[in-house]
Amino acid sequence: DAGVIQSPRHEVTEMGQEVTLRCKPISGHDYLFWYRQTMMRGLELLIYFNNNVPIDDSGMPEDRFSAKMPNASFSTLKIQPSEPRDSAVYFCASRLAVYNEQFFGPGTRLTVL
Amino acid sequence: GENVEQHPSTLSVQEGDSAVIKCTYSDSASNYFPWYKQELGKRPQLIIDIRSNVGEKKDQRIAVTLNKTAKHFSLHITETQPEDSAVYFCAASNRDDKIIFGKGTRLHILP
């Protein structure tokens, strides 16, 4: 298995533009998590899904952020409109229900100018 | 909700010495405590974890201890090596499956 796959790996955009981050979890995993990492705030959980259903989105910073999981092998995190303070590394992670270990993807480094 | 505090934020130790990172959590229902290591520019990876029915767990040079009464848990690295330089995150999880991470400790191993 290739592990969790994220795309793009790097994204540079201008303030006000829409940004879409993509994630493919490990095949067969039941849970998918989206995190944001910054120096100031550390690793923050934004939202997580269980069997494609959003369970907890209390970490989503505001209405500009939305996430979907249309099927078991794909999820998106969308920011519209983007702002400079959204600049961060965004990680996707997945896990099996019977095990607690989360496997992280390589991350997407987002820079909003 | 759960809150995880981690100390210190930065730690420098001489190669060969031991390093200790400490965490506290707030939710007494938390029952799973993983530790993740993140090397520069890489993804976090699980290095060791402990459950609330166990007080201590060891894996070669790494050990974790848990004090449920005090809601403290710690990571101990012995005989530190240059490749131990990284950011270490503690975390706690309760029955609703989400993991809450501490802010991280940047560990520097000095030659």
Side-chain angles (χ1 to χ4, degrees):
Chain A
D1 199 323
V4 177
I5 298 172
Q6 290 186 248
S7 65
R9 295 294 308 277
H10 302 273
E11 176 82 27
V12 180
T13 190
E14 292 190 345
M15 183 174 63
Q17 296 298 306
E18 178 179 295
V19 174
T20 299
L21 311 182
R22 297 172 176 80
C23 175
K24 180 180 180 351
I26 294 173
S27 177
H29 279 195
D30 311 281
Y31 285 86
L32 184 139
F33 304 82
W34 282 101
Y35 292 91
R36 177 173 68 177
Q37 185 174 36
T38 61
M39 289 293 291
M40 291 298 296
R41 301 173 71 93
L43 204 55
E44 300 175 275
L45 176 65
L46 300 177
I47 184 171
Y48 76 97
F49 297 82
N50 178 216
N51 292 323
N52 314 337
V53 176
I55 303 300
D56 185 345
D57 65 354
S58 60
M60 295 286 260
E62 48 198 275
D63 292 346
R64 297 185 297 107
F65 285 69
S66 62
K68 294 182 180 179
M69 192 164 186
N71 57 62
S73 56
F74 184 66
S75 177
T76 59
L77 178 68
K78 186 175 293 187
I79 308 172
Q80 166 64 15
S82 58
E83 296 182 3
R85 59 193 168 120
D86 301 330
S87 297
V89 179
Y90 290 81
F91 286 102
C92 175
S94 70
R95 57 164 274 218
L96 276 170
V98 293
Y99 297 111
N100 287 97
E101 181 177 359
Q102 292 187 13
F103 293 85
F104 283 78
T108 295
R109 182 174 294 278
L110 173 65
T111 302
V112 183
L113 303 174
Chain B
E2 176 65 275
N3 183 49
V4 177
E5 300 283 340
Q6 182 171 350
H7 301 279
S9 58
T10 305
L11 178 62
S12 296
V13 301
Q14 213 68 38
E15 183 179 346
D17 288 350
S18 296
V20 180
I21 302 171
K22 298 182 178 182
C23 292
T24 61
Y25 62 98
S26 60
D27 188 350
S28 56
S30 288
N31 56 7
Y32 174 67
F33 306 90
W35 287 85
Y36 282 76
K37 176 184 179 181
Q38 186 178 26
E39 297 177 357
L40 189 62
K42 301 287 182 64
R43 73 194 76 186
Q45 291 189 295
L46 180 73
I47 54 171
I48 195 167
D49 55 14
I50 192 168
R51 295 193 170 278
S52 59
N53 58 347
V54 175
E56 184 175 1
K57 183 177 178 180
K58 288 183 180 179
D59 182 4
Q60 299 183 337
R61 296 186 298 108
I62 293 174
V64 292
T65 58
L66 171 65
N67 182 330
K68 279 209 70 181
T69 303
K71 296 186 200 163
H72 290 175
F73 58 116
S74 302
L75 176 72
H76 303 252
I77 306 174
T78 58
E79 300 173 12
T80 53
Q81 301 170 3
E83 55 265 35
D84 296 330
S85 292
V87 178
Y88 291 81
F89 293 94
C90 64
S93 177
N94 62 21
R95 282 181 287 272
D96 70 3
D97 297 325
K98 65 183 181 183
I99 288 178
I100 302 301
F101 285 86
K103 290 280 195 295
T105 295
R106 187 171 297 276
L107 176 62
H108 299 276
I109 306 301
L110 306 172

